[in-house]
Amino acid sequence: MNKVIEGMAYVLGNDVDTDQIIPAEHLVYSLSDPEERKNYGKFAMSGVPAEQAGLPEGKIPFTENGQSESKYTIIIGGRNFGCGSSREHAPACMEIAGVRAVVAESYARIFYRNSVDGGFFIPFECVTRMVEEIKTGDDLIIDLNASTLTNRSSNKTYELKSLGEVIEIIEAGNIFEYARKTGMIPSA
Amino acid sequence: MGMTITEKILAAHAGKESVRPGDNIWVDVDVLMTHDVCGPGTFAIFKKQFGENAKVWDRDKVVIIPDHFIFTKDTHANRNIDILRQFVKEQSLPHYFDVGTDRYKGVCHLALAQEGFNRPGDVLFGTDSHTSTSGAFGMFSTGIGNTDAAFILGTGKLWVKVPESMCFEFTGTFPEHVMAKDVILSVIGDIGVDGATYRAMEWRGDAVMSLSMEERMTLCNMAIEAGGKNGIIEADEVTTDYVKQRTDAPYKIYKSDDDAQYFFKKNYNASEMEPVVAKPHSPDNKAKVSDCTDVKLDRAYIGSCTGGKLTDFMAAARLLKGKKVKIDTFIVPATREVEQDLHKEKIGGETLVDIFKNAGAYLGDPSCAACLGGPQDTFGRAKDNQVVISTTNRNFPGRMGSKQSHVYLASPYTAAASALTGHITNPAEFIYN
C-alpha cells in the first residue's frame, strides 16, 4: 500500500448522500465494461447542488466537459458522508473519476463499508472538522504512517483518526484478498 | 449480562454463545436479496472473484426481485434485466420474479414479506439500503453493496460489526390520524439523519405491538434514514400469523433480555404523536403538519416500499372517496399483490381503484418508480421546480428526479388530505369531520 497519497482537494459539506454522488438515473451503466463504466466518472458528483459543489466558493464542477476523470483526487467532507442508498456505484464512480481518499468527519455505514470492502479508496476520519480549513483546489498530502493530512497550500498539518480494525482489509486490497490471506476462501 | 434481540440473532448465526456491541463476527446468511440495479454488478464481481463457472453457495437462499427501473424504454436498464435472466439461468435459481411474467412482483422489500422470505430469527442481507424493512419480522436485516453481496454469493457468510442497540418505546394508543410514517419521521427528526449510525433501532411498547405488519414495516424501513444498521421489532402473534400464511419454512423467535444493554432509550406517549412532514431536503427536517399548512403543492405521490402498501392505500382512499384531487396525484402500488388488492378491497361498496380514478388520480404499475427519480420516462418523476408531497422515504436534493424540485415526506393520510386541498393539510380535518 502506498504510504503517501497526494492530490488536489474537492470540498463538500454535511450529509452528502449517494443520490448526490451519483443520481439514480445513471445507475444503468455496466461497472465492468471498460468503456461503459467511464460514464460513472463523467456523472460523479453531478447531483450535488451547485452552491455546495466545491466549497467554499461553490459552483465548481467535479468533472468537466464530459471527462470521466477529475483533477480532484482527495475529497473533503463533513458529517455523515455517503448517506442514503447502498449503491456501490457511489464509491465506484468516485474511484473511476480518480478519487484516492476521502477525509470526512463521519460516514454513513454502508458507504464506509463499501469503500473498504470494495477497495475503491481509503475513507479517513478527521479529528477536527476540515470543511472550513481546506479550500477546493488546495494541494494536499496524506501520510498514512503518521496518520496526518497536510495542506501544502496553507502549510498546516492535521491529525487523522486511526483506520482501526479495517486496516487489514485496506492493506489486503479488498474483502476477497483479506479472506484469502486469512484462509477463509481458497487462494486463486 | 443480557442481550438484545439483534445481539442474540447475530450470536446464533456466528455460532457463539454471546456477542457484545463492537465485536466483529462472521455470520451465516439465510437470505441474500438483490435487484436490477445492483444484481448485474454483484454477479460480475462474483464471477471475477470465484470464477466464470462458480456456483452460488445455496440456490435456495438467493432471491432476485427486479423492481427499480422496469417500465422504461431505457436500453441500459432493460439490458440489466437480461443480465439477471442470464445469471438465473446459469445458476438455475428458483427465486426469480421476472419482469413481464405472472411472477413479476414489484418492490423487493414488500415482495420479500409477501413471498415468505421474511422469517423471525433469520439473517437477511440485500443490496438495497431499505432492506432494514424486514426487521419488522423480528429478524436481522440490512443493506449492503455489490462487493459484500458477491462475497455472500460465494461463501454464504459476511463479516458484521455487532451494533449497539437503541430502544424506542411507545406506550398508549396512537391517535387515529397518526400513521407509522408519522412515528418514524418524528423519531428521525428527534435523533437526526446520523442519530442511529452503526446502531440497531429496536421498536418496543404496546403501541408498536398494536400495529399491523405493514405499519411495522414502515417503522423499520426508514431506520436507514437515521443511519441505522437495522430496525427490529420482536415477533408476536401478528408476525407469526402473517408468516404462516406465506411460508411453511421454520422460524425462531428471539426476544431481548430484561437486562439487555441499550446505548439509548426513549419512551414516547403514543397518544401525543402528531402528523408530521420532513421538509426539503432532508428526512430529519421535521415539522408538524399543522405548522406547514401554507405550503402550496404541485403534486402528490403515494407509493414505494415505505408508503405503497395496502394499508397506505386504504388510508388514502378513506380520504379521497367521493372527492376530487386539486393537484396531480400519483398512485403506485408497491407490488402486484397490492395492485390486485386495490381492485378487491372496497370502502362503502367502491373499490380502491375506482375511488382513486373517480378522485382524478393517476395509477401506475408496481415498481420503485419515481421514489428515486429513475430514467427520464419514469411514472411520476418530479419535474422542474415542482413542490411534491410524497409517502416515500427520501427528500434529498434531486431524489425524485428534478434537482430543482422540493419534496415533503408525509404519511399517506397527510398526502391524501393535501391532494384534496392543494396545500399541506392535517388529515384530522377530514377524518373527524
Side-chain angles (χ1 to χ4, degrees), chain B residues 19-198:
Chain B
V19 294
R20 289 281 154 235
D23 289 356
N24 284 308
I25 55 171
W26 290 92
V27 294
D28 292 323
V29 179
D30 294 307
V31 176
L32 173 73
M33 186 282 300
T34 188
H35 50 47
D36 54 304
V37 168
C38 295
T42 298
F43 304 150
I45 297 171
F46 168 73
K47 287 183 177 186
K48 184 181 168 197
Q49 295 291 341
F50 295 99
E52 266 310 306
N53 300 315
K55 292 290 173 197
V56 302
W57 99 102
D58 189 335
R59 290 167 53 231
D60 204 41
K61 293 181 175 176
V62 180
V63 181
I64 302 175
I65 308 177
D67 60 355
H68 275 60
F69 305 153
I70 306 303
F71 304 102
T72 173
K73 291 192 173 72
D74 188 292
T75 51
H76 287 103
N78 290 324
R79 180 270 318 267
N80 288 343
I81 306 285
D82 288 335
I83 294 174
L84 299 185
R85 286 183 184 127
Q86 182 62 32
F87 189 77
V88 164
K89 202 173 150 194
E90 287 166 16
Q91 302 278 340
S92 309
L93 299 179
H95 306 305
Y96 176 55
F97 302 95
D98 202 5
V99 181
T101 73
D102 289 347
R103 283 177 64 76
Y104 176 72
K105 298 299 168 198
V107 180
C108 57
H109 309 297
L110 186 58
L112 281 171
Q114 291 175 333
E115 299 307 309
F117 294 108
N118 286 350
R119 302 180 284 249
D122 272 8
V123 167
L124 182 152
F125 290 97
T127 60
D128 191 292
S129 58
H130 292 110
T131 302
S132 59
T133 312
S134 299
F137 289 78
M139 62 197 291
F140 178 84
S141 63
T142 192
I144 54 173
N146 298 353
T147 296
D148 285 348
F151 192 92
I152 294 173
L153 278 182
T155 65
K157 291 177 189 294
L158 192 62
W159 73 271
V160 174
K161 186 204 276 280
V162 177
E164 293 170 313
S165 289
M166 298 171 80
C167 177
F168 301 88
E169 183 164 6
F170 288 79
T171 46
T173 309
F174 293 118
E176 197 182 339
H177 63 295
V178 167
M179 298 187 72
K181 182 65 175 290
D182 297 302
V183 178
I184 181 65
L185 286 177
S186 297
V187 167
I188 297 167
D190 288 350
I191 66 174
V193 283
D194 57 357
T197 297
Y198 284 87

